[in-house]
């Protein structure tokens, strides 16, 4: 049966959807959706085909939007998306993850919620907020946000989260108890004798490799890392990259050794493409070596950035690679990064990119 590929975009002015067939040569843009709310993360549940959007701000409040017809119509709910009275109110939902029949949401200020009815209502997984380190968590540049959500596909009780800037935390019991998993990740902005704390790292993006090995990759404010033991320890894999600083990372859908990155030129040097020349950096050996993929990408005046959730792959063969920019462009590769084509432009700032492959 033929396939349809959808690239789901969260932007500062609503959700958009790009559509193509399996050849991924011609694209059609739909949107904006979600009443042009600021959308931090638009993602799909591949088990049901439902599309969800995480959004809101101090004016609108937090909400999760939902479409069960591939984006033609949407509804939203904020029922239960609130902390106890007296706590700082939730301003927005930052991240989503669908797994094992449940939907998880990471919010600002950092916390984790779960829905068992497809986003209609939510309950707080308060074990994370009860961690002893919670009073010492400090916000990153975008605030104190839970932006990365990784649920073990083989064990619903094993969850990893990335928080700016508290670090990576892990639960093995569905969220009742949590432990920091940051050993080996440095904090260049701490005093020299405190560069490797138990928590306090500014993780930018956390992703899991396929295959069930427990391998994780982390793009951090202070380097690029790999863990082969579920985050208990981390090793630097930034050698060969043009910068230790960046935001997004995307794993190959089948090969745990293949990873895609978009490094930026540094945290205080403008946060744009190194030398203003766009490239996606790819490893085929788990970070031991890197190559820059530039074909089809602008090689002059590329002063744009790519945000932490604005890169994704699809599940086709060969895998497609997609990223969206702060200046509203979307680039796509149908050959695992070998060459890229611009498939959208002049959109609002792109906060997230995800994919959904369905039967046409």
């Amino acid at each position: 049966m033929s396939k349809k590929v959808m690239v789901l975009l969260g932007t500062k002015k609503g959700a958009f959807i790009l559509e193509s067939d399996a050849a991924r040569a011609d694209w059609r843009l739909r949107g904006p959706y979600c009443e042009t709310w600021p959308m931090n993360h638009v993602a799909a549940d591949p088990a049901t085909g439902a599309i969800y959007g995480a959004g809101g701000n101090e004016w609108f409040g937090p909400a999760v939007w939902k479409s069960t017809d591939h984006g033609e119509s949407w509804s939203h709910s904020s029922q239960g998306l609130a902390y106890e009275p007296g706590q700082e109110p939730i301003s927005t939902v930052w991240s989503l993850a669908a797994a094992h029949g449940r939907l998880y949401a990471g919010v600002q200020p950092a916390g984790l919620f779960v829905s068992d009815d497809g986003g209609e209502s939510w309950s707080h997984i308060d074990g994370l907020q009860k961690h002893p380190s919670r009073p010492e968590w400090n916000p990153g540049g975008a605030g104190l946000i839970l932006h990365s959500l990784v649920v073990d596909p083989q064990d619903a009780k094993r969850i990893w989260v990335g928080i700016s800037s508290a670090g990576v935390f892990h639960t093995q019991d569905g969220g009742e108890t949590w432990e920091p998993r940051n050993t080996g990740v440095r904090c260049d902005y701490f005093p020299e004798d405190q560069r490797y704390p138990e928590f306090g790292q500014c993780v930018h993006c956390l992703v899991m490799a396929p295959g069930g090995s427990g391998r994780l990759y982390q793009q951090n404010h202070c380097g690029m890392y790999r863990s082969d033991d579920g985050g208990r320890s981390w090793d630097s894999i930034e050698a060969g990259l043009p910068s230790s600083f960046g935001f997004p990372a995307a794993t190959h859908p089948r090969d745990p050794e293949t990873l895609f990155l978009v490094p930026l030129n540094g945290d205080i040097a403008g946060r744009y493409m190194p030398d203003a020349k766009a490239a996606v950096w790819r490893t085929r050996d788990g970070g031991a070596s890197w190559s820059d993929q530039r074909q089809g990408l602008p090689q002059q005046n590329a002063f744009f950035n790519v945000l932490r959730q604005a890169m994704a792959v699809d599940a086709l063969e060969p895998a497609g690679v997609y990223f969206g920019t702060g200046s509203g462009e979307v680039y796509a590769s149908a050959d695992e990064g070998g060459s890229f084509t611009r498939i959208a432009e002049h959109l609002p700032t792109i906060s997230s990119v995800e994919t959904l492959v369905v039967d046409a």
Side-chain angles (χ1 to χ4, degrees):
M1 182 176 291
S2 60
K3 298 292 184 180
K4 179 170 69 172
V5 182
M6 288 184 280
V7 179
L8 314 175
L9 306 175
T11 83
K12 299 300 183 184
K13 299 179 182 179
F16 293 80
I17 298 175
L18 284 157
E19 290 183 337
S20 183
D21 59 18
R24 296 164 289 183
D26 299 304
W27 294 87
R28 179 173 72 98
L29 179 69
R30 295 192 282 122
Y33 299 118
C34 306
E35 299 177 8
T36 66
W37 277 35
M39 302 304 294
N40 295 313
H41 193 201
V42 179
D45 182 351
T48 66
I51 301 173
Y52 296 95
N57 59 19
E58 290 82 357
W59 297 99
F60 294 106
V64 173
W65 294 73
K66 179 180 181 180
S67 174
T68 57
D69 53 12
H70 295 165
E72 297 296 338
S73 61
W74 296 79
S75 60
H76 68 86
S77 175
S78 60
Q79 182 180 340
L81 281 172
Y83 291 137
E84 294 294 323
Q87 292 184 272
E88 182 180 350
I90 296 170
S91 60
T92 188
V93 182
W94 262 92
S95 55
L96 298 168
H100 305 285
R102 312 186 87 186
L103 184 64
Y104 296 89
V107 304
Q108 178 183 6
L112 182 61
F113 286 74
V114 66
S115 173
D116 290 310
D117 55 11
E120 297 299 320
S121 62
W122 298 87
S123 58
H124 184 204
I125 299 177
D126 62 0
L128 184 60
Q129 291 272 318
K130 293 178 179 178
H131 192 271
S133 67
R134 176 62 182 88
E136 299 179 64
W137 294 359
N138 290 307
L144 184 60
I145 58 176
L146 196 160
H147 53 69
S148 291
L149 269 168
V150 176
V151 184
D152 192 324
Q154 300 174 337
D155 185 346
K157 292 187 175 183
R158 288 165 50 87
I159 305 170
W160 293 259
V161 298
I163 300 171
S164 293
S165 58
V168 173
F169 286 76
H170 173 68
T171 179
Q172 299 191 77
D173 54 19
E176 291 187 23
T177 60
W178 296 78
E179 63 176 11
R181 290 202 169 175
N182 302 294
T183 300
V185 179
R186 69 182 187 274
C187 289
D188 292 338
Y189 43 83
F190 278 20
E192 190 169 348
D193 60 348
Q194 301 174 33
R195 289 288 169 85
Y196 292 90
E198 182 183 14
F199 61 90
Q201 290 82 350
C202 189
V203 55
H204 282 180
C205 183
L206 178 71
V207 292
M208 174 174 277
S213 67
R215 175 177 290 183
L216 298 167
Y217 293 100
Q218 176 189 163
Q219 174 67 71
N220 194 276
H221 190 109
C222 305
M224 185 66 210
Y225 300 89
R226 188 185 87 194
S227 173
D228 292 325
D229 56 10
R232 292 181 179 86
S233 62
W234 295 89
D235 295 309
S236 172
I237 55 170
E238 64 197 63
L241 292 170
S243 168
S244 62
F245 181 86
F247 285 99
T251 56
H252 192 280
R254 293 169 293 275
D255 179 9
E257 298 290 306
T258 297
L259 181 75
F260 304 92
L261 300 179
V262 182
L264 301 179
N265 68 338
D267 57 349
I268 59 173
R271 301 192 178 198
Y272 54 78
M273 295 287 176
D275 301 319
K277 298 177 180 180
V280 170
W281 289 74
R282 182 180 68 192
T283 180
R284 294 291 199 184
D285 52 18
S289 63
W290 298 90
S291 62
D292 53 330
Q293 310 302 308
R294 299 181 181 273
Q295 186 174 337
L297 297 176
Q299 294 305 292
Q300 60 181 357
N301 300 325
F303 295 102
F304 54 74
N305 63 2
V306 180
L307 298 178
R308 72 180 82 244
Q309 292 166 295
M311 188 178 191
V313 299
D314 66 33
L316 297 181
E317 178 64 51
V321 183
Y322 310 85
F323 70 90
T325 74
S327 53
E329 301 165 308
V330 181
Y331 291 90
S333 170
D335 56 5
E336 304 196 353
S339 61
F340 284 86
T341 302
R342 186 174 60 195
I343 61 174
E345 59 183 333
H346 309 313
L347 296 176
T349 297
I350 296 170
S351 303
S352 74
V353 176
E354 297 286 0
T355 65
L356 175 64
V357 178
V358 298
D359 293 331

